[in-house]
Amino acid sequence: MASSQSSKIMSIKELVSKYKNKLDINELEQLMALALHKNIAYIYKNPDKLLSRSNILTFKKLLNKRLADYSLAYLKKNKEFYNLNFIVSKHTLIPRPDSELLVTEALKNTSNNQNIIDIGTGSGALILSLAKNNKHTANYVATDISTKALNIAKTNARKLKLKNKVKFIKTNLLNSINNKFDIVIANLPYLTPEQMKEASIKKEPSTALLSGKDGLDHYKKLLKRLPKYLNKKYLILLEIDPQQKESIKKEIINNLPQAKIEFLKDLANNIRVVKISN
């Protein structure tokens, strides 16, 4: 009985409908497109297309992974960010829409011949979105501690025809960096062990998310070292958790006492970015 069920020929529409109680129809259709190596328009246009046993098996494998909390972006191996398409992998954080705020704010403050650095670049989404949209000339540097993440970032740079525009460096924070910078952007790990229990992020690399008991270990280290890497006029943009407002403010005052501090809100009206300037 079980084998006849699994070998039963089904159409796209029938298979998607079979699992509509498990997952949102839109996600099921995207998984189907992925299983068939087609775009989503193909799924809409061919609901009666009959599937092979191999197609059905591939779809079920993807469905099981999605139900086990693997994000759609990881399964598709790409994610749209700032109207650009980025390859992502298990070695990189998935870019979130809220992080676009860093790029938008940086773009408001660009001028010619600036030195711009993205610390902890991951997939390269921030620095590459910035480089792609900046109307001014600039020197771009992106760092990450992970070789595998940097390889993904370099691939994204090639895809976006930015290979020669951005210099990628494997290092921890600012080690082996000698330049001074006009704009510093960073979306470093800022979650606490408690926040790491959320199902939506359990499949993402913990090294890209967790930062000590209060989620600020990485930013404390960065802020301590940043002053000697800043040009006379500078802008620093850091993505944070809303609850870290007062803690990060103290760290900034300790290390950059003359700096102007502003907090910027994300799409959900939560504090998401701290803007430090002079």
Side-chain angles (χ1 to χ4, degrees):
M1 184 78 179
S3 63
S4 66
Q5 179 71 14
S6 62
S7 59
K8 182 188 170 192
I9 293 173
M10 298 179 85
S11 69
I12 288 175
K13 182 171 66 181
E14 286 170 332
L15 190 57
V16 166
S17 181
K18 182 180 175 181
Y19 292 102
K20 65 184 179 186
N21 64 324
K22 299 265 188 190
L23 211 59
D24 176 77
I25 286 285
N26 174 51
E27 285 203 46
L28 288 168
E29 288 170 342
Q30 289 191 64
L31 291 176
M32 181 63 74
L34 192 55
L36 300 180
H37 303 288
K38 301 286 186 184
N39 60 31
I40 197 73
Y42 178 89
I43 306 304
Y44 298 150
K45 287 176 187 172
N46 299 278
D48 298 317
K49 156 91 177 162
L50 294 178
L51 300 165
S52 69
R53 199 180 310 177
S54 171
N55 292 153
I56 294 170
L57 253 169
T58 304
F59 172 80
K60 286 182 178 177
K61 278 183 188 171
L62 289 167
L63 175 63
N64 287 334
K65 280 195 167 185
R66 182 69 192 98
L67 293 173
D69 289 323
Y70 282 88
S71 74
L72 204 53
Y74 273 155
L75 296 178
K76 290 167 76 176
K77 296 185 172 60
N78 65 70
K79 176 73 174 169
E80 190 176 279
F81 181 84
Y82 223 82
N83 294 322
L84 299 169
N85 204 22
F86 289 91
I87 295 168
V88 294
S89 80
K90 63 181 181 181
H91 306 293
T92 66
L93 194 63
I94 297 166
R96 266 66 168 183
D98 290 334
S99 300
E100 292 185 358
L101 184 56
L102 290 157
V103 180
T104 301
E105 196 60 32
L107 285 169
K108 289 179 191 172
N109 293 274
T110 54
S111 56
N112 278 334
N113 301 316
Q114 288 177 320
N115 287 342
I116 300 174
I117 188 168
D118 174 20
I119 301 164
T121 196
S123 64
L126 293 177
I127 197 78
L128 296 173
S129 299
L130 190 46
K132 198 73 176 171
N133 289 280
N134 190 1
K135 292 180 172 63
H136 303 97
T137 57
N139 304 304
Y140 300 98
V141 173
T143 74
D144 205 286
I145 200 167
S146 163
T147 302
K148 288 174 177 173
L150 281 174
N151 287 338
I152 295 287
K154 287 174 186 175
T155 302
N156 282 322
R158 282 196 296 274
K159 276 183 65 214
L160 294 168
K161 297 182 170 55
L162 294 168
K163 184 187 168 189
N164 301 318
K165 256 194 171 186
V166 183
K167 185 178 182 181
F168 293 98
I169 300 171
K170 182 184 186 292
T171 187
N172 185 6
L173 299 178
L174 290 157
N175 291 353
S176 71
I177 304 291
N178 300 313
N179 297 30
K180 287 184 183 281
F181 295 91
D182 304 282
I183 296 179
V184 177
I185 55 173
N187 181 8
L188 294 179
Y190 61 75
L191 297 188
T192 63
E194 192 59 35
Q195 289 170 314
M196 287 296 294
K197 293 175 184 173
E198 288 177 32
S200 63
I201 58 169
K202 274 187 178 174
K203 303 299 184 197
E204 297 190 53
S206 61
T207 50
L209 294 161
L210 182 63
S211 190
K213 283 185 180 178
D214 63 355
L216 284 175
D217 281 10
H218 289 74
Y219 282 133
K220 284 174 184 173
K221 286 175 191 168
L222 177 63
L223 287 164
K224 208 169 277 183
R225 301 185 60 192
L226 254 184
K228 68 175 185 177
Y229 292 94
L230 300 172
N231 271 332
K232 282 185 180 175
K233 183 160 176 56
Y234 62 80
L235 169 71
I236 305 162
L237 297 165
L238 310 176
E239 181 167 328
I240 60 167
D241 184 88
Q243 295 173 2
Q244 293 168 335
K245 179 183 174 182
E246 294 308 318
S247 304
I248 197 109
K249 193 173 179 180
K250 282 179 193 166
E251 292 299 322
I252 296 163
I253 291 166
N254 285 343
N255 295 286
L256 293 161
Q258 307 303 318
K260 182 182 175 189
I261 304 167
E262 291 176 67
F263 291 94
L264 311 176
K265 292 186 175 180
D266 62 19
L267 302 167
N269 211 32
N270 294 316
I271 287 169
R272 185 61 56 196
V273 170
V274 57
K275 176 182 175 182
I276 312 159
S277 59
N278 63 346

